[in-house]
Amino acid sequence: MHTLRIFQSEWLKTRRSLASWLVIIGGLFTPVIIFLIRIRRPHELPPIYQSPNFWQTVWNQSWESMAMFMFPMGIIMATGLITQLEFKNNAWKQLHTTPQRLTTIYGMKLFIVLVMLTQVFIAFNVFMYLFSVLPVALVRDVRYPTAHLDWLLFLRGNFSYFIDCLPIVGLQFLLGMHFKNFLVPFGLGFLLWIASLTGMTWEYNYILPYSYSMQDFLVNTGRKIPVNADIHVFAAIYFVVFVAVGYGMYIGKNEKG
Amino acid sequence: MYAIETHDLTYRFPRGLGSSLVPRFDSSAPPVLNNVSLRVPEGSIYGFLGPNGAGKTTTLRLILGLLKKQHGSISILGKHFPEERISVLREIGSLIESPSLYGHLTAQENLIIYQKIFDAPQKRIREVLDLVGLSNTGTKKASEFSLGMKQRLGLAVALINQPRLLILDEPTNGLDPNGIIEMRELLKQLQREQGITILISSHLLSEIEKLVTHIGIINSGSIAFQGTLEELMNKREQGANIVLETSDKEATMRVLEQMHIRATAEHQSVVLPFVHRDTIANIARNLVQSNIALYGIERRNDDLETIFMNVIK
């Protein structure tokens, strides 16, 4: 019960925050853009909607921008904003004088970030579906897709991308908890994302912690990049290492607010 | 029993970043705190005074565990700190420097955050809002509050868990005179009605002399005075003077010399150390008998601020 109350307390801090708006925007942005592009040429839609690969096409189109840009940058920003809530409001000192173990404070903040990431995934999938079928209601002659919607395949795909994002969460959380200035985690995150993008064709690309969602997308859509290791294993290891180092730095801080 | 008791607290700031994994301390640098032994009696309002940079906030941060203790011991409400950190913090309310408020949330939402953590009853939110006079702020966000309102909300946060001990670091900073009086009355009421021990820091004695029962004065990291307000007042008595205004300073000095009273001549008057009132009557009689016109006898006390300045010299 106590853990639940602490979760509720932390969750309340995200209400009306920029991070909570990012969840909605992050989930909505790509499906809306794809929808707007589609309805600009309504006459081309009927055959597309009757294609046997309709859902696979929607999935790939939607994930292209998400995997390459929106998710990495969204996580960099949202994680920074969550950790900044305490710095910005000068609230670390008050939080650290509440009867909670430091492990609880650290763990709960990380959990909040992961819950928000899950929210983005859910919002993105729901909006992807809704904006895909919206033309059925708006455009004449467009019928509901006949292609089979393989929910299980999409679920597995989501899980895979979720794992890919974990190293970004881990490192951004570490930086966000450590640096008071928002620009430091944001700037470093942005540089690492650029480095990952640049190193995509490198034979050791699997060591680049911010590259996994991009690699996953490129491999799934048949692009040729070197695949020399299981990136999900690397992603999980990076996440654990970043979280553990971040925890050590947090606990070892001499000044707590 | 003491609500707070520290022994020989000594603290040096780490070199470079205070947040590195293994903080390095410069043992050659003078300590920010030097063997600070604070004793805050239970049920008291303890004024912790000192000029800016004297070590007040550092002491309070150590007591609350916001800084890592390096040397000495801390006991709060009979428990060792930080060994029994969780159970101690459950009984403390604090407001350190500026209030920690989430600007995008309302007063009520800010309080819910802490009500959940402390597992305080829901009705406590209404109680503390009424107590600090913020019950009608509705949907107004904390970032839109005036400084005085923020300070009061900070106090409400500190009170949400019905603490036995309240630690307030310069809570009147930025408040207008009316706000200072309101805050003072509120703290008196809390101590009177709920028996809360209050440790309040300030750099202005005049600001808290009407509030406190005990006083500790810190200067350059060391405790310069600690005791009741009465003891500090006695110091004032000891420092008091009698001022005589007469028609002839030299003749007055001679009369006093005959009475074995050491005095000094000032511009228009003669100043002597505080003496018993019977002696004052004798002085007046002798002056009149010596044909010296006596225009006035005045008792001059050092104000508390002067005593404070003398203590920290």
Side-chain angles (χ1 to χ4, degrees), chain A residues 15-107:
Chain A
R15 188 183 285 180
R16 291 193 292 276
S17 69
L18 201 53
S20 67
W21 283 109
L22 267 180
V23 169
I24 299 167
I25 295 166
L28 200 61
F29 186 77
T30 302
V32 168
I33 295 293
I34 292 174
F35 166 76
L36 291 175
I37 292 169
R38 281 217 181 104
I39 59 163
R40 274 185 65 224
R41 296 196 186 96
H43 57 280
E44 292 175 9
L45 291 182
I48 293 172
Y49 272 71
Q50 295 311 302
S51 157
N53 297 322
F54 175 77
W55 290 114
Q56 192 60 48
T57 310
V58 167
W59 174 260
N60 288 341
Q61 280 178 341
S62 303
W63 270 104
E64 184 166 17
S65 61
M66 286 302 272
M68 301 299 285
F69 178 76
M70 292 292 285
F71 258 115
M73 291 311 292
I75 291 167
I76 289 166
M77 286 177 74
T79 311
L81 288 170
I82 291 289
T83 48
Q84 277 295 307
L85 279 173
E86 308 298 340
F87 284 119
K88 188 181 143 206
N89 296 300
N90 200 12
W92 276 121
K93 59 179 162 42
Q94 200 70 40
L95 190 61
H96 284 137
T97 52
T98 56
Q100 299 182 77
R101 285 185 309 188
L102 297 178
T103 309
T104 310
I105 294 173
Y106 184 84

Side-chain angles (χ1 to χ4, degrees), chain A residues 132-251:
Chain A
S132 297
V133 297
L134 192 56
V136 176
L138 298 178
V139 183
R140 223 151 62 101
D141 299 333
V142 175
R143 291 200 199 107
Y144 188 84
T146 50
H148 171 59
L149 179 57
D150 193 344
W151 288 106
L152 205 61
L153 191 74
F154 285 2
L155 205 62
R156 256 190 255 123
N158 276 303
F159 182 69
S160 175
Y161 281 122
F162 188 87
I163 301 290
D164 295 338
C165 292
L166 289 181
I168 310 178
V169 172
L171 189 53
Q172 289 304 132
F173 188 72
L174 178 158
L175 295 169
M177 291 286 277
H178 197 69
F179 292 101
K180 192 176 179 178
N181 188 342
F182 174 74
L183 286 176
V184 177
F186 182 77
L188 284 172
F190 186 70
L191 285 176
L192 281 165
W193 175 71
I194 297 278
S196 299
L197 202 63
T198 316
M200 202 56 60
T201 52
W202 186 35
E203 59 179 316
Y204 300 112
N205 57 8
Y206 55 85
I207 66 166
L208 299 170
Y210 282 40
S211 71
Y212 301 137
S213 62
M214 297 186 258
Q215 288 192 47
D216 218 344
F217 173 77
L218 293 175
V219 170
N220 287 339
T221 49
R223 321 286 168 87
K224 285 213 161 76
I225 58 163
V227 181
N228 295 321
D230 186 342
I231 55 169
H232 294 119
V233 173
F234 270 82
I237 292 170
Y238 267 126
F239 178 65
V240 172
V241 170
F242 290 149
V243 168
V245 173
Y247 175 72
M249 288 167 73
Y250 170 70
I251 294 289

Side-chain angles (χ1 to χ4, degrees), chain B residues 186-204:
Chain B
L186 181 58
L187 295 176
K188 273 184 183 171
Q189 183 192 341
L190 286 169
Q191 192 257 355
R192 198 173 51 237
E193 293 175 4
Q194 299 176 30
I196 299 175
T197 308
I198 301 172
L199 168 58
I200 179 169
S201 83
S202 176
H203 59 277
L204 294 173

Side-chain angles (χ1 to χ4, degrees), chain A residues 2 5 8-9 12-13 15-16 85-86 89-91 93-94 96-97 99-100 178 248 254-257, chain B residues 11 14 18-19 21 61 66 68 85-86 94 96 98 100-104 109 113-114 116-119:
Chain A
H2 187 60
R5 282 197 304 271
Q8 289 171 331
S9 161
L12 182 57
K13 293 177 194 174
R15 188 183 285 180
R16 291 193 292 276
L85 279 173
E86 308 298 340
N89 296 300
N90 200 12
K93 59 179 162 42
Q94 200 70 40
H96 284 137
T97 52
Q100 299 182 77
H178 197 69
N254 181 56
E255 202 173 332
K256 293 200 160 51
Chain B
Y11 188 82
S19 52
L21 248 183
R61 282 172 177 268
L66 294 173
K68 272 192 182 166
R85 180 178 165 271
I86 302 284
S94 67
I96 300 294
S98 54
S100 305
L101 304 171
Y102 299 95
H104 60 291
E109 288 166 342
I113 287 173
Y114 296 99
K116 296 269 182 204
I117 297 173
F118 281 102
D119 195 20

Side-chain angles (χ1 to χ4, degrees), chain B residues 10-78:
Chain B
T10 299
Y11 188 82
R12 285 183 169 83
F13 276 117
R15 269 189 295 167
L17 287 173
S19 52
S20 59
L21 248 183
V22 186
R24 290 170 301 168
F25 299 93
D26 188 355
S27 55
S28 62
V32 185
L33 292 184
N34 195 10
N35 296 322
V36 170
S37 296
L38 214 60
R39 284 181 194 90
V40 179
E42 206 161 344
S44 66
I45 303 184
Y46 187 103
F48 192 36
L49 285 162
N52 287 330
K56 299 185 297 289
T57 302
T58 306
T59 308
L60 299 186
R61 282 172 177 268
L62 278 168
I63 289 171
L64 286 166
L66 294 173
L67 286 176
K68 272 192 182 166
K69 191 181 70 181
Q70 294 165 356
H71 182 266
S73 67
I74 302 169
S75 167
I76 301 173
L77 300 167

Side-chain angles (χ1 to χ4, degrees), chain B residues 12 14 17 19-20 26 28 31 33 84 111 114 122 139 162 164 177 189 196 204 209 252 258 283 291 309 312:
Chain B
R12 285 183 169 83
L17 287 173
S19 52
S20 59
D26 188 355
S28 62
L33 292 184
E84 296 172 82
L111 288 167
Y114 296 99
Q122 188 90 31
T139 54
Q162 288 190 291
R164 281 174 63 196
Q189 183 192 341
I196 299 175
L204 294 173
E209 65 175 300
T252 305
Q258 283 164 12
I283 293 171
N291 289 324
M309 293 309 290
I312 64 170

Side-chain angles (χ1 to χ4, degrees), chain B residues 227-245:
Chain B
T228 60
L229 187 63
E230 208 174 20
E231 284 166 344
L232 194 69
M233 291 298 203
N234 284 341
K235 268 185 176 282
R236 178 160 78 160
E237 291 286 314
Q238 287 160 20
N241 292 308
I242 301 291
V243 181
L244 302 174
E245 202 183 329

